[in-house]
Amino acid sequence: MGQAEVSRLSPGEAREQFDEIQQVYAVAFPNYDLGDHRRRTLRQIESAGFEAVTVRENGVLVGFAYGLPLSARSTWWNGLRPLQPDGFAVETGRRTFAVIDLAVLPSHRGRGLGRRLMDELLRSRPEERATLATVPDNRETQRMYERWGWSLVGRVPGVEGETSDTFDLYVIALRPEAPTSSR
Ligand SMILES: CC(C)(COP(=O)(O)OP(=O)(O)OC[C@H]1O[C@@H](n2cnc3c(N)ncnc32)[C@H](O)[C@@H]1OP(=O)(O)O)[C@@H](O)C(=O)NCCC(=O)NCCS
């Protein structure tokens, strides 16, 4: 295996590299609809705050992660159970970064590339927290996120056309709490 090179992409680069990203997506999520992935991702790339990172080995794209901030009109938390404290689900467009997809080719897994992609994606985000959705029966992946510091907040129903009937939503704090005293 060669040297892994992690890069942060501009929206233009993400658009240009979309076909390579989708080749990895197709292997990592074999049952998902590629037309739907293309439409959804090309729309997300145009949204404010979209961010993508890739990892290449010998020039070949072997993994990626991307996401975008939840907008003030986001339906991300709709139907969340158990109920959370008042204000939990309020979005402003600047509060929460949603990690939409993370994938590494099977041949390159288990070498820390998934973790590096996630760390790089979140490293300089200005939001106070990040969230991601997993399918409930993927316990191995859920345990991985828990080891990485993410917490399960609850379950939401999927809407028609989504990849699952229900999703488990996770969150992680991106910055320490703002200081409460003026020390
Ligand atoms: C999830 C995924 C991106 C992880 O990629 P990766 O490059 O293997 O990630 P890492 O090497 O950083 O390892 C991640 C964790 O999984 C564990 N792991 C990796 N390969 C493993 C294997 N073959 N068996 C058991 N555990 C394994 C590692 O120990 C590591 O745990 P740790 O960070 O607590 O030590 C990759 O498995 C993948 O693409 N899966 C399919 C798509 C997917 O499910 N994406 C997430 C959707 S929510």
Side-chain angles (χ1 to χ4, degrees):
M1 301 259 180
Q3 180 90 11
E5 196 184 321
V6 175
S7 313
R8 187 177 287 265
L9 308 188
S10 68
E13 290 168 329
R15 224 178 290 121
E16 278 165 26
Q17 296 177 33
F18 177 76
D19 288 345
E20 289 174 282
I21 289 171
Q22 193 171 58
Q23 282 169 23
V24 175
Y25 180 92
V27 176
F29 301 103
N31 302 319
Y32 293 178
D33 184 297
L34 295 184
D36 174 63
H37 174 246
R38 171 176 292 272
R39 276 188 297 280
R40 171 165 61 82
T41 309
L42 293 178
R43 190 178 65 235
Q44 288 166 346
I45 289 172
E46 305 307 320
S47 299
F50 176 88
E51 185 144 359
V53 295
T54 57
V55 57
R56 289 180 181 272
E57 262 189 23
N58 304 319
V60 178
L61 197 151
V62 299
F64 64 81
Y66 51 75
L68 72 175
L70 296 181
S71 79
R73 296 181 312 281
S74 173
T75 56
W76 182 268
W77 307 109
N78 285 8
L80 179 65
R81 293 291 180 277
L83 291 170
Q84 298 298 315
D86 277 357
F88 177 85
V90 173
E91 294 301 337
T92 61
R94 293 183 302 279
R95 184 181 188 192
T96 310
F97 183 77
V99 178
I100 302 296
D101 281 319
L102 164 71
V104 172
L105 283 180
S107 52
H108 289 71
R109 289 180 192 162
R111 294 167 43 213
L113 297 182
R115 181 71 190 259
R116 278 179 66 188
L117 285 165
M118 182 67 94
D119 288 351
E120 183 63 24
L121 183 65
L122 299 182
R123 192 163 55 86
S124 49
R125 292 305 311 179
E127 292 82 7
E128 68 186 62
R129 62 185 182 178
T131 184
L132 61 80
T134 67
V135 293
D137 58 7
N138 197 346
R139 274 304 292 152
E140 201 182 325
T141 303
Q142 293 190 334
R143 275 195 288 270
M144 175 188 83
Y145 288 130
E146 287 157 16
R147 289 198 302 277
W148 292 0
W150 293 76
S151 306
L152 178 66
V153 289
R155 186 165 289 184
V156 291
V159 295
E160 195 170 338
E162 282 185 339
T163 48
S164 177
D165 291 342
T166 54
F167 292 95
D168 285 344
L169 301 184
Y170 279 77
V171 292
I172 193 168
L174 293 181
R175 303 189 261 112
E177 294 298 317
T180 51
S181 75
S182 55
R183 260 182 314 135

